[in-house]
Amino acid sequence: MTDTGIDLILEKHSGAGRDALIPILQQVQAEKGYLSRETVARVGKHLNLPASKIYGVATFYNQFRFHPLGKYHITVCRGTACHVKGSGKVLDMAMKQLKLKPGQTSRDRMFSLEVVACMGACGLAPVVNINGEFHAKVTPQKLAMIIDQCREEELTNAEG
Amino acid sequence: MITLEVDGRSIEANAGETILTALKREGIHIPTLCYMEGLPPSGACRICVVEVDGAPNLTPSCSYPVAEGMKIRTSTQKVIEARKTIVRLLLSNHPDDCLYCSRNGKCDLQKLAQDLGIRRRLYHGKKTSRPMDVSSPAIIRDPEKCILCGRCVRMCEEIQGVSAIDFIGRGSRAFIGTAFDEGLNVSSCINCGQCILVCPTGALSERSYLNEVTAALADPDKMVVVQHAPAVSVTLAEEFDIKAGKDVDGQMVAALRRVGFDRVFDTSFSADLTIMEEASELAQRIKTGGVLPMMTSCSPGWIKFVEQFYPSLIPNVSTCKSPQQMMGAMIKSFFAEREGLDPSKIVSVSIMPCTAKKFECTRPEMAPNNIPDVDYVLTTRELGQLLHMFGIDLNAMDEEEADTPFGERSTAGKIFGASGGVMEAAVRTAHYLLTGKELPGLEIQPLRGLKGAKELHIEVDGLKIGAAVVSGMGNARVLLDQVCDGRDDLQFIEIMTCPGGCINGGGQPLGADLDAVRARMKMLYKIDREEDVRVSHKNKWITRLYDEFLGQPLGELSHRLLHTHYSKRDDLLQ
């Protein structure tokens, strides 16, 4: 089980102790998009930490994911301003359309859904971010349309 | 010495200790939930709060150190109200199914609610909904009954050095689970069951095989044979509210017959058999330059531990099966033959102080030709329940003796139940095998007691022998690391999974403190002191078994029936 990306990260942290856990997990996630069972086991061997401990620490924070990202990674803001402007219904629509719960990725790895507390774009509430691109003042209907567009784009890509 | 004033009277305390330990010594009972004897306090549950004069808030007694002149009040209205609130909040997220709970009557939370007179639900809220983990053959976890005190996590990590479980998530969504929240069966859990002993509620319990056993007892076509481990007879009485440290061997044998077992055998007999094989194996390894130090293989938690964490030391582990499995193998071979029975008609049950034994008997290498050596394992607690279910009062039983051919034992086999016992029994027999003479005095004091690590260095006929005894996997790690780093003054190491050995096993009666465990241990050594046959090689039936069936220790038949091998476990998430 060798993985050069992870090897490089762990090399940078040679001789590190348990205090290096979170930076290592962040770098691994930046490289791989998520924390897999294999990477958790690798990091555990490197830091001499049991996997249950690493999983416990990682699940404490919202920033870590345990499933690969979808091709379209949809982030719904549930911060205060977005909440007041109706992001709850937007999230419901996303869950219904994608048949996913926050933190999950669809089986075809096309979509993944995530909830965040605030993106710092409260003036545009409710905000949805898809692959880094911000969508402002999103209503449930607007989100359903955006998701449809993504699906259509995929179909044309597949045909073309 | 420091003087405190507690509820108006003056008591003495040692500098540096906590309020709780000082009060406990004075016989003042303070309720606790997250506190664990011998470990640093975590101060999480706050049930142990007391009032300290001058302190702005209530003070957790488990973690606050005593100070000269401190004035403490332990049961003011404020304190009682605070404790009630804590228990009410815990109950607000707890299933109301005490009648159906395995801990009914033995639950710390139930007792607290009862002691504090809580009679109705004050707080209503959303309850945790999580599925039970029934994946393990030994341990069942019910997260809905968990109050997140963290004692199982600390036991698993700080005492046993395994860390199969930890806190997952945070806040109101936090729960206890394995890495990636998978089943215990695929985790690094070694099935020792120490978590069950420290759990204050019904969140952790052994997987019960009582239904299977009672069904077998009711089946007229089956011969149901039972064996009981050395450490069971000195603890079973506790299930009948008798103080720890009473031996009920004879009554237990009578009770097992009354329940309907066709034969009652003593695992101490196969402990003697283990000694014959293991001492011979040690002698052979020393003579032929085999892998040393040799390590005992009686404790199935330790076996899974070494397979996972120290696979390089597997060649050091004795190839002997554990006494339970040796007995099982003998029952389905020698005994079946003697009785003219098809082994498949025999149901072999064992009563163990252990939950890992439930796992051990399911191992594929313990089922030659797909016929398991042992079919079902019950813990001491389950045996207590079985006797209660059948309306049997242990105290009213007249003593009876176990059955031939596997009912006779030496006391060397009996002391297997305490940490150091296997080593002491082995040294007694090894001394005889090497010199032809009995070990003078027979008793080996340095190997006795509840200390986690003990050593003995002796010279037998000019041969230097270094022996070490460890119990608790955290203590084992320290010694194993030394061995891995090249320590070479040891020839033989006894390793027991549970701290103190089987007398403190994960299947033993609940609620035992250190004093209770010590009382259990003393009883084993009292038995050893008072009986005549004190060495395994003088057990008459062992001699007959070799003469009539096995041939000799390490012989061809022994190898096939009594020995096995272990292999590296590539569990991903350790």
Short mmCIF file of all heavy atoms in Angstrom, two decimals, chain B residues 396-418:
data_model
loop_
_atom_site.label_atom_id
_atom_site.label_comp_id
_atom_site.label_asym_id
_atom_site.label_seq_id
_atom_site.Cartn_x
_atom_site.Cartn_y
_atom_site.Cartn_z
N ALA B 396 -28.01 -23.84 49.34
CA ALA B 396 -28.71 -25.02 49.85
C ALA B 396 -28.12 -26.32 49.29
O ALA B 396 -28.56 -27.40 49.66
CB ALA B 396 -30.19 -24.92 49.50
N MET B 397 -27.15 -26.22 48.40
CA MET B 397 -26.60 -27.41 47.75
C MET B 397 -25.62 -28.14 48.67
O MET B 397 -24.82 -27.51 49.36
CB MET B 397 -25.82 -27.00 46.49
CG MET B 397 -26.68 -26.47 45.38
SD MET B 397 -27.55 -27.79 44.57
CE MET B 397 -29.18 -27.14 44.60
N ASP B 398 -25.67 -29.47 48.65
CA ASP B 398 -24.60 -30.25 49.29
C ASP B 398 -23.47 -30.41 48.29
O ASP B 398 -23.71 -30.53 47.09
CB ASP B 398 -25.13 -31.63 49.70
CG ASP B 398 -26.07 -31.52 50.89
OD1 ASP B 398 -25.83 -30.64 51.73
OD2 ASP B 398 -27.04 -32.30 50.95
N GLU B 399 -22.25 -30.41 48.80
CA GLU B 399 -21.11 -30.46 47.89
C GLU B 399 -21.05 -31.79 47.15
O GLU B 399 -21.32 -32.84 47.72
CB GLU B 399 -19.81 -30.25 48.68
CG GLU B 399 -19.72 -28.86 49.25
CD GLU B 399 -18.36 -28.59 49.87
OE1 GLU B 399 -17.39 -29.28 49.51
OE2 GLU B 399 -18.29 -27.67 50.71
N GLU B 400 -20.70 -31.72 45.86
CA GLU B 400 -20.50 -32.93 45.07
C GLU B 400 -19.18 -32.83 44.33
O GLU B 400 -18.64 -31.74 44.18
CB GLU B 400 -21.66 -33.11 44.06
CG GLU B 400 -22.99 -33.46 44.72
CD GLU B 400 -24.13 -33.59 43.71
OE1 GLU B 400 -23.85 -33.75 42.51
OE2 GLU B 400 -25.29 -33.51 44.13
N GLU B 401 -18.70 -33.98 43.86
CA GLU B 401 -17.42 -33.96 43.14
C GLU B 401 -17.64 -34.04 41.64
O GLU B 401 -18.62 -34.60 41.17
CB GLU B 401 -16.56 -35.14 43.60
CG GLU B 401 -16.18 -35.00 45.05
CD GLU B 401 -14.87 -35.70 45.39
OE1 GLU B 401 -14.47 -36.59 44.63
OE2 GLU B 401 -14.28 -35.32 46.42
N ALA B 402 -16.68 -33.45 40.90
CA ALA B 402 -16.78 -33.45 39.44
C ALA B 402 -16.62 -34.87 38.90
O ALA B 402 -16.20 -35.78 39.61
CB ALA B 402 -15.72 -32.53 38.85
N ASP B 403 -16.98 -35.06 37.62
CA ASP B 403 -17.00 -36.40 37.04
C ASP B 403 -15.63 -36.85 36.55
O ASP B 403 -14.78 -36.03 36.19
CB ASP B 403 -17.97 -36.41 35.84
CG ASP B 403 -19.41 -36.34 36.29
OD1 ASP B 403 -19.85 -37.27 36.98
OD2 ASP B 403 -20.09 -35.34 35.98
N THR B 404 -15.44 -38.16 36.48
CA THR B 404 -14.28 -38.72 35.78
C THR B 404 -14.59 -38.70 34.29
O THR B 404 -15.76 -38.75 33.92
CB THR B 404 -14.01 -40.17 36.22
OG1 THR B 404 -15.24 -40.88 36.14
CG2 THR B 404 -13.49 -40.22 37.64
N PRO B 405 -13.62 -38.64 33.40
CA PRO B 405 -12.19 -38.69 33.69
C PRO B 405 -11.53 -37.31 33.85
O PRO B 405 -10.34 -37.25 34.09
CB PRO B 405 -11.65 -39.39 32.45
CG PRO B 405 -12.55 -38.93 31.34
CD PRO B 405 -13.90 -38.74 31.96
N PHE B 406 -12.30 -36.23 33.68
CA PHE B 406 -11.63 -34.91 33.68
C PHE B 406 -12.05 -34.07 34.88
O PHE B 406 -12.19 -32.86 34.79
CB PHE B 406 -11.95 -34.13 32.40
CG PHE B 406 -11.72 -34.90 31.13
CD1 PHE B 406 -12.65 -34.88 30.10
CD2 PHE B 406 -10.55 -35.63 30.95
CE1 PHE B 406 -12.44 -35.59 28.92
CE2 PHE B 406 -10.33 -36.34 29.79
CZ PHE B 406 -11.28 -36.32 28.76
N GLY B 407 -12.30 -34.73 36.00
CA GLY B 407 -12.78 -33.97 37.17
C GLY B 407 -11.72 -33.76 38.21
O GLY B 407 -11.88 -32.94 39.11
N GLU B 408 -10.63 -34.50 38.09
CA GLU B 408 -9.61 -34.39 39.13
C GLU B 408 -8.57 -33.35 38.74
O GLU B 408 -8.19 -33.24 37.59
CB GLU B 408 -8.93 -35.74 39.34
CG GLU B 408 -8.25 -35.85 40.68
CD GLU B 408 -7.98 -37.30 41.03
OE1 GLU B 408 -8.94 -38.10 41.05
OE2 GLU B 408 -6.82 -37.62 41.26
N ARG B 409 -8.11 -32.60 39.72
CA ARG B 409 -7.12 -31.57 39.40
C ARG B 409 -6.08 -31.49 40.50
O ARG B 409 -6.31 -31.93 41.62
CB ARG B 409 -7.81 -30.20 39.27
CG ARG B 409 -8.55 -29.81 40.54
CD ARG B 409 -8.64 -28.32 40.71
NE ARG B 409 -9.50 -27.97 41.85
CZ ARG B 409 -9.11 -28.02 43.10
NH1 ARG B 409 -7.89 -28.42 43.41
NH2 ARG B 409 -9.95 -27.69 44.07
N SER B 410 -4.94 -30.89 40.16
CA SER B 410 -3.99 -30.49 41.20
C SER B 410 -4.29 -29.03 41.52
O SER B 410 -5.00 -28.35 40.77
CB SER B 410 -2.56 -30.63 40.69
OG SER B 410 -2.27 -29.55 39.81
N THR B 411 -3.75 -28.53 42.62
CA THR B 411 -3.99 -27.11 42.93
C THR B 411 -3.15 -26.23 42.01
O THR B 411 -3.42 -25.03 41.88
CB THR B 411 -3.65 -26.80 44.39
OG1 THR B 411 -2.27 -27.08 44.60
CG2 THR B 411 -4.51 -27.60 45.33
N ALA B 412 -2.16 -26.81 41.35
CA ALA B 412 -1.38 -26.03 40.37
C ALA B 412 -2.30 -25.57 39.24
O ALA B 412 -2.21 -24.45 38.76
CB ALA B 412 -0.23 -26.86 39.83
N GLY B 413 -3.21 -26.46 38.84
CA GLY B 413 -4.18 -26.08 37.81
C GLY B 413 -5.15 -25.06 38.33
O GLY B 413 -5.60 -24.18 37.59
N LYS B 414 -5.48 -25.14 39.61
CA LYS B 414 -6.46 -24.21 40.19
C LYS B 414 -5.93 -22.77 40.22
O LYS B 414 -6.67 -21.83 39.96
CB LYS B 414 -6.81 -24.68 41.61
CG LYS B 414 -8.00 -23.97 42.24
CD LYS B 414 -9.30 -24.36 41.56
CE LYS B 414 -10.49 -23.64 42.16
NZ LYS B 414 -11.70 -23.80 41.34
N ILE B 415 -4.62 -22.62 40.55
CA ILE B 415 -4.11 -21.24 40.69
C ILE B 415 -3.91 -20.55 39.34
O ILE B 415 -3.52 -19.40 39.28
CB ILE B 415 -2.80 -21.17 41.52
CG1 ILE B 415 -1.70 -22.04 40.92
CG2 ILE B 415 -3.08 -21.55 42.98
CD1 ILE B 415 -0.36 -21.89 41.59
N PHE B 416 -4.22 -21.24 38.23
CA PHE B 416 -4.25 -20.58 36.91
C PHE B 416 -5.12 -19.33 36.94
O PHE B 416 -4.96 -18.41 36.14
CB PHE B 416 -4.86 -21.53 35.86
CG PHE B 416 -3.86 -22.28 35.03
CD1 PHE B 416 -2.88 -23.03 35.64
CD2 PHE B 416 -3.91 -22.23 33.64
CE1 PHE B 416 -1.97 -23.73 34.87
CE2 PHE B 416 -3.00 -22.92 32.86
CZ PHE B 416 -2.03 -23.69 33.48
N GLY B 417 -6.09 -19.33 37.87
CA GLY B 417 -7.05 -18.24 37.90
C GLY B 417 -6.49 -16.90 38.34
O GLY B 417 -7.13 -15.88 38.16
N ALA B 418 -5.30 -16.89 38.93
CA ALA B 418 -4.71 -15.62 39.36
C ALA B 418 -3.46 -15.33 38.53
O ALA B 418 -2.76 -16.26 38.12
CB ALA B 418 -4.33 -15.69 40.84
#
